[in-house]
Amino acid sequence: MFRRVLSEKRKTGSVPVYLNVYDLTPINGYAYWFGLGVYHSGVQVHEVEYAFGAHDFPTTGIFEGEPKQCPGFTFRKSILIGRTDLGPKEVRALMGKLAEEYTGNTYNLITKNCNHFCNDACLRLTAKPIPRWVNRLARIGLFCNCVLPAGLNKMKVWRHKAEVGICEGEKKNLRSHSSRFVPSSSSSSILIQRRPVL
């Protein structure tokens, strides 16, 4: 007699990992329904949202802040990507490792934007990618690169200037709540915080 063996579904972790998606333009209200749009995204884990933005320095472009509250963007939706067993310190160590690759001066709207960062972070946290529609316009732009204006590839959607001032699109009162820290790794990169580390 054959025994039917049921495979147990492997647990993927206890801590939820969300992708928070923001609209970059009001046109997204219409484009979203056609599977298009221009989006900013951040990865939320342990009640902290990590995202990637541009600046002119070879230090990290990764910053953290309050979930669903990224200044300058309109929150659209939160998507559960998966779960992780990494604790807060391990997540910050992972972000420190990603900080070496995602420096502010390497940001590119088509080839290395906030959605690319979120996809990499989600793959490392949950082994699952972000939904394809979130970064579809960048993929289309990659194939239509010769048709796009030359300046678009170097366009910086969101700039944070760690060393010289406040972010474009941010209100001045947010500056008093910003602080920086050096990741625990040996890297000299800094993560830009939207709230102080306690």
Side-chain angles (χ1 to χ4, degrees):
M1 186 174 213
F2 288 88
R3 274 188 153 175
R4 188 175 179 193
V5 179
L6 296 175
S7 63
E8 284 185 36
K9 223 179 188 181
R10 189 180 140 231
K11 279 191 168 184
T12 56
S14 58
V15 179
V17 176
Y18 295 96
L19 180 74
N20 293 330
V21 182
Y22 299 83
D23 288 329
L24 278 169
T25 173
I27 295 171
N28 282 0
Y30 303 104
Y32 173 78
W33 299 108
F34 296 103
L36 296 173
V38 184
Y39 303 102
H40 170 73
S41 62
V43 175
Q44 177 184 335
V45 60
H46 293 292
E47 298 305 316
V48 177
E49 183 174 304
Y50 298 92
F52 173 58
H55 59 72
D56 295 326
F57 306 100
T59 57
T60 185
I62 298 172
F63 60 96
E64 65 179 33
E66 297 290 332
K68 305 175 189 173
Q69 303 294 320
C70 193
F73 305 116
T74 304
F75 176 74
R76 171 166 286 279
K77 68 189 303 183
S78 190
I79 302 165
L80 177 63
I81 299 297
R83 296 182 177 278
T84 185
D85 278 327
L86 295 182
K89 287 182 181 179
E90 295 165 310
V91 170
R92 287 180 62 118
L94 171 63
M95 295 305 160
K97 188 166 179 70
L98 286 170
E100 296 170 9
E101 181 181 345
Y102 286 92
T103 58
N105 63 345
T106 62
Y107 183 97
N108 183 290
L109 184 63
I110 304 298
T111 60
K112 194 174 193 179
N113 64 35
C114 56
N115 302 315
H116 293 106
F117 160 75
C118 288
N119 192 60
D120 284 353
C122 285
L123 284 169
R124 293 182 192 202
L125 289 166
T126 69
K128 296 179 182 173
I130 67 172
R132 293 178 58 84
W133 62 264
V134 175
N135 208 22
R136 182 170 287 142
L137 209 55
R139 284 193 311 278
I140 292 170
L142 186 62
F143 293 114
C144 302
N145 205 14
C146 58
V147 180
L148 296 173
L152 185 61
N153 286 339
K154 295 186 180 178
M155 181 179 152
K156 296 183 179 179
V157 172
W158 190 76
R159 299 174 59 91
H160 59 83
K161 296 181 180 179
E163 286 78 7
V164 290
I166 63 170
C167 306
E168 292 176 10
E170 280 190 15
K171 295 178 184 168
K172 289 191 178 213
N173 64 358
L174 291 176
R175 184 173 187 193
S176 63
H177 300 293
S178 297
S179 65
R180 299 180 283 164
F181 75 94
V182 178
S184 57
S185 69
S186 60
S187 166
S188 63
S189 301
I190 54 173
L191 289 178
I192 305 303
Q193 294 240 140
R194 293 294 161 236
R195 65 177 183 197
V197 178
L198 301 177

